[in-house]
Amino acid sequence: MTVFNGFPEEALTFFDQIRENNNKQWFEENKPLFKEKVQAPAQQFVETLGERLATITPRIRYDTKLTGAGSIMRIYRDTRFSKDKTPYKTNMGIVWWEGEGKKLLNPGFYFHMAHDDTWLGGGLYHFPDLDQYRRAVDDEVLGNRLLELSAQMASVGNPLNGDTYKRVPRGYDPDHPRADLLKMKGLTCGFSEITRDIITSPKLVDVCFDYCQQLLPVHQWLVAMQNHNPDA
């Protein structure tokens, strides 16, 4: 079993400092620190939480590769189509996902760490197949289950979120009982304000696992949605 003792204080300091020193020279000078204090404990965190998640959703996937293909997002920004040409991200993103293919095209859990903004969320930021999602919402069983989940999460202060279209999509009744859900482009939910004392201690795994357990019904709905085939 992998042991994770928390992220060191130097990891948070690194993300604080890179905001003011977002350039290649500074990063190259601090790359050994980044590897030791950020990437290495991140790999331990990926495995430790991944092992726990496998006890509640056995098909969860995670990978400690640092190439960007694994759970840990690369720190390098894609600036090709952005006015902001700063080369590095000022946060770390980590994903545990369920499904075949690219991780961000599947439901999963996401951990975001920055010097003053650390949180855990779950869901699917953008539906890779909107028609598939809409068919699931239109389905009486799956659609009503999502409506229940939406009410449940809202009642505990963690409503379902996501970008939306202004109108109900073509082909569906504007007065559909789940019209608001049909408008969604993605579906996420999360917990904010993971404090510094938790980030830097082994308790981070327990806190994130507890959040994942609370998000599990939403995760399971999204997995069922991706496997939904009304014509089968």
Side-chain angles (χ1 to χ4, degrees):
M1 181 177 291
T2 308
V3 177
F4 173 72
N5 294 316
F7 284 95
E9 285 281 351
E10 292 93 332
L12 293 170
T13 301
F14 173 87
F15 286 116
D16 186 19
Q17 292 179 344
I18 200 171
R19 293 185 310 149
E20 304 299 328
N21 302 278
N22 204 319
N23 59 77
K24 189 175 189 299
Q25 179 180 342
W26 184 90
F27 180 75
E28 290 299 323
E29 290 172 355
N30 288 272
K31 199 169 186 178
L33 182 146
F34 173 68
K35 289 183 176 180
E36 179 185 356
K37 303 298 184 180
V38 179
Q39 288 185 318
Q43 289 176 305
Q44 295 171 343
F45 181 55
V46 166
E47 288 201 7
T48 306
L49 184 55
E51 290 165 0
R52 295 280 295 277
L53 288 174
T55 66
I56 59 173
T57 181
R59 294 183 179 178
I60 201 74
R61 300 177 65 189
Y62 54 96
D63 191 321
T64 60
K65 285 197 297 284
L66 299 173
T67 60
S71 293
I72 301 168
M73 304 289 194
R74 300 182 76 213
I75 194 169
Y76 306 100
R77 295 183 63 248
D78 184 351
T79 61
R80 292 174 298 172
F81 308 107
S82 174
K83 293 181 180 179
D84 179 2
K85 298 301 180 182
T86 51
Y88 305 107
K89 300 173 186 173
T90 57
N91 68 277
M92 167 168 279
I94 301 176
V95 180
W96 299 258
W97 71 99
E98 184 167 348
E100 299 299 322
K102 295 182 178 180
K103 57 181 179 286
L104 296 182
L105 299 182
N106 286 289
F109 304 99
Y110 177 77
F111 176 76
H112 172 103
M113 182 176 75
H115 87 288
D116 61 350
D117 178 30
T118 298
W119 48 270
L120 184 132
L124 196 50
Y125 189 67
H126 283 297
F127 296 122
D129 187 337
L130 274 169
D131 288 336
Q132 182 183 51
Y133 166 73
R134 290 165 179 167
R135 287 194 299 269
V137 173
D138 190 46
D139 181 84
E140 285 301 308
V141 175
L142 279 174
N144 281 318
R145 175 57 178 156
L146 184 58
L147 202 60
E148 291 172 3
L149 289 173
S150 179
Q152 288 173 14
M153 298 308 294
S155 71
V156 295
N158 286 294
L160 301 182
N161 295 302
D163 292 337
T164 63
Y165 291 100
K166 292 182 179 180
R167 298 180 178 83
V168 173
R170 184 177 299 175
Y172 294 93
D173 187 342
D175 296 321
H176 194 287
R178 296 176 290 280
D180 287 343
L181 292 172
L182 284 169
K183 296 176 188 176
M184 298 187 79
K185 302 178 184 180
L187 192 156
T188 61
C189 188
F191 297 85
S192 60
E193 298 179 359
I194 300 178
T195 57
R196 199 179 193 99
D197 63 308
I198 291 173
I199 298 165
T200 56
S201 81
K203 292 187 296 184
L204 179 62
V205 173
D206 295 328
V207 169
C208 289
F209 181 65
D210 178 63
Y211 288 162
C212 289
Q213 285 182 298
Q214 295 180 57
L215 294 172
L216 184 62
V218 177
H219 174 80
Q220 291 172 328
W221 188 90
L222 289 166
V223 171
M225 177 270 293
Q226 289 205 321
N227 293 328
H228 178 56
N229 183 359
D231 300 323

